[in-house]
Amino acid sequence: MMVGFRQYVAVLLVLSAPFCLGIRSIPSRSIDGGDFLGFDLFTEAPDYRNGRGCPVSANKITSSCDPSLVHVAMTLDSEYLRGSIAAVHSALKHASCPENIFFHFISAEFDSASPRVLTQLVRSTFPSLNFKVYIFREDTVINLISSSIREALENPLNYARNYLGDILDPCVDRVIYIDSDLVLVDDIHKLWDITLTKSKIIGAPEYCHANFTKYFTDNFWSDPLLSRVFGSRKPCYFNTGVMVMDLVRWREGNYRKRIENWMEIQRRKRIYDLGSLPPFLLVFAGNVEAIDHRWNQHGLGGDNVKGSCRSLHPGPVSLLHWSGKGKPWVRLDNKQPCPLDYLWEPYDLFKHSNRIKDHHQSSVLFPPSSSSLIGFSSFL
């Protein structure tokens, strides 16, 4: 399969904790009200079905507690909605058992698109999808966030991954967290089956050749009490956009609080310049289950300032990640795509007749609703 994909790449390159409330969404083919707000945004995805040998649930899957499930968590908001839809589409398309994937979507409390609208958009695009939308309360983390080199990195929703152990059902003991600016080109079940050894809490591709010191300021490295956190470890950089997480060990070790402690220190001493990544490095770097690099070909969005074009890393590819400033849907809309952006395009379900040239118009498409939480069941 991977040989075929790399040939495809070559051809295209030549051509070119009161943390939340929960909204349970049970798969249904009925779409209430037709178009949402009079604006039918996405084409309905094909109805992907399980292949032979897939785990069989005793009942129709309606709960995230079903033991046959592969759990995937990601954020869902109006700005990156198009990327999220493409990511889901890619995961289903390449999965051997798509009906056994359960998506946990984390939505910001005050997003310009109400969680109810986002839920309807997902259901209309993927009528058979097993998923649930959670409302992330931004005041949970807003007072811990410090300024970053790019404003987008200060979005409270970027920190939702810190709270998955509190947000998701207690029965969910393992989850794959993925960012909204990526696509899978391989079976996500292979990633799910990776073993976390020696009591590892998370698994992710590591990059030990990277200059690890640059992720922290001189204030950090010059303070012997702070920098000794790495004294007994050999830290390597890893990208938090793709992680396999053991939520049982996460909860038992209160890793949410460990991350928050570093964020509190950052507010006082300015020990890093990036957003939600450095606290994860401080807690986990040097103690990560190293996953093959094929599962996070990251950096395709360029750096955090210019967002210039990048090429693929050497080696096989299972997941393409447009981390950095440049996003493929924006560059494609602006008719200034990078060559690799064409690899994202086949998973884009956004209707071209509805293409939004000015992304600031999202407030018109998704007017805020003060009553968006009314009638939603408590998930505490």
Side-chain angles (χ1 to χ4, degrees):
M1 177 177 178
M2 293 314 306
V3 173
F5 174 71
R6 294 199 70 83
Q7 290 175 341
Y8 175 53
V9 171
V11 170
L12 284 176
L13 291 179
V14 170
L15 292 176
S16 74
F19 298 112
C20 69
L21 301 175
I23 312 165
R24 186 170 300 282
S25 178
I26 298 175
S28 171
R29 288 205 166 275
S30 64
I31 303 175
D32 298 333
D35 293 354
F36 303 106
L37 303 179
F39 207 90
D40 189 11
L41 294 177
F42 298 98
T43 299
E44 183 178 320
D47 193 11
Y48 297 106
R49 293 296 180 181
N50 281 354
R52 294 181 180 180
C54 292
V56 178
S57 175
N59 303 297
K60 181 68 175 177
I61 296 173
T62 59
S63 168
S64 61
C65 295
D66 192 297
S68 68
L69 294 174
V70 170
H71 296 279
V72 181
M74 63 190 306
T75 58
L76 189 68
D77 67 339
S78 55
E79 183 177 1
Y80 286 89
L81 176 63
R82 192 162 154 196
S84 298
I85 294 294
V88 174
H89 185 205
S90 71
L92 297 175
K93 182 178 178 63
H94 294 284
S96 55
C97 304
E99 294 177 78
N100 292 89
I101 303 175
F102 196 104
F103 281 89
H104 303 266
F105 297 111
I106 317 300
S107 177
E109 182 179 11
F110 298 113
D111 193 278
S112 57
S114 75
R116 188 187 303 278
V117 169
L118 291 173
T119 300
Q120 292 175 321
L121 282 168
V122 172
R123 186 187 296 121
S124 68
T125 308
F126 305 103
S128 299
L129 188 69
N130 298 300
F131 75 96
K132 188 171 184 177
V133 176
Y134 307 78
I135 304 171
F136 180 63
R137 290 179 52 177
E138 295 172 325
D139 59 1
T140 300
V141 72
I142 192 68
N143 291 328
L144 293 171
I145 298 175
S146 56
S147 60
S148 182
I149 61 174
R150 183 158 62 94
E151 185 177 355
L153 300 177
E154 301 170 22
N155 187 333
L157 203 58
N158 289 338
Y159 296 83
R161 73 193 97 193
N162 302 0
Y163 299 92
L164 292 178
D166 305 277
I167 294 174
L168 305 189
D169 288 318
C171 63
V172 179
D173 55 13
R174 181 182 175 95
V175 69
I176 298 172
Y177 175 83
I178 59 174
D179 277 348
S180 298
D181 52 358
L182 57 78
V183 293
L184 288 111
V185 292
D186 202 349
D187 189 353
I188 197 171
H189 291 78
K190 297 178 184 178
L191 185 58
W192 178 256
D193 290 338
I194 288 172
T195 300
L196 300 181
T197 60
K198 299 180 181 179
S199 300
K200 297 288 199 313
I201 311 300
I202 65 172
E206 285 187 311
Y207 301 88
C208 295
H209 63 278
N211 181 3
F212 191 80
T213 62
K214 72 178 184 179
Y215 294 101
F216 303 96
T217 65
D218 291 340
N219 288 342
F220 174 81
W221 294 114
S222 62
D223 189 323
L225 293 178
L226 295 179
S227 59
R228 74 178 182 181
V229 67
F230 296 123
S232 60
R233 295 187 262 160
K234 293 184 178 179
C236 295
Y237 164 78
F238 66 93
N239 181 278
T240 52
V242 180
M243 296 186 292
V244 180
M245 306 175 68
D246 184 327
L247 294 183
V248 174
R249 294 171 181 166
W250 179 282
R251 294 168 181 132
E252 291 174 349
N254 199 9
Y255 282 90
R256 170 186 63 82
K257 183 58 179 175
R258 298 189 192 192
I259 290 174
E260 287 180 338
N261 288 341
W262 282 111
M263 294 175 68
E264 289 171 354
I265 293 174
Q266 159 72 356
R267 295 277 290 179
R268 299 195 305 268
K269 295 194 174 185
R270 190 69 182 181
I271 59 175
Y272 53 81
D273 292 323
L274 289 173
S276 59
L277 168 64
F280 259 86
L281 296 179
L282 287 161
V283 174
F284 293 108
N287 193 28
V288 171
E289 185 71 36
I291 295 175
D292 194 291
H293 290 176
R294 70 194 304 157
W295 288 107
N296 195 353
Q297 285 262 350
H298 70 287
L300 304 186
D303 59 27
N304 280 304
V305 179
K306 296 181 179 179
S308 55
C309 295
R310 295 254 179 104
S311 58
L312 287 176
H313 311 166
V317 183
S318 292
L319 184 150
L320 298 159
H321 186 188
W322 278 262
S323 58
K325 184 178 181 181
K327 303 307 174 188
W329 57 91
V330 175
R331 297 193 294 212
L332 286 164
D333 283 2
N334 291 337
K335 301 189 184 305
Q336 296 178 331
C338 293
L340 290 178
D341 295 344
Y342 291 110
L343 300 179
W344 178 89
E345 194 172 26
Y347 305 100
D348 184 19
L349 294 174
F350 192 77
K351 292 184 177 179
H352 284 225
S353 59
N354 293 331
R355 194 173 299 278
I356 307 169
K357 295 181 179 179
D358 183 355
H359 293 278
H360 295 293
Q361 293 181 14
S362 61
S363 60
V364 178
L365 295 174
F366 302 122
S369 172
S370 60
S371 61
S372 63
L373 303 185
I374 295 177
F376 292 171
S377 60
S378 174
F379 193 65
L380 304 180

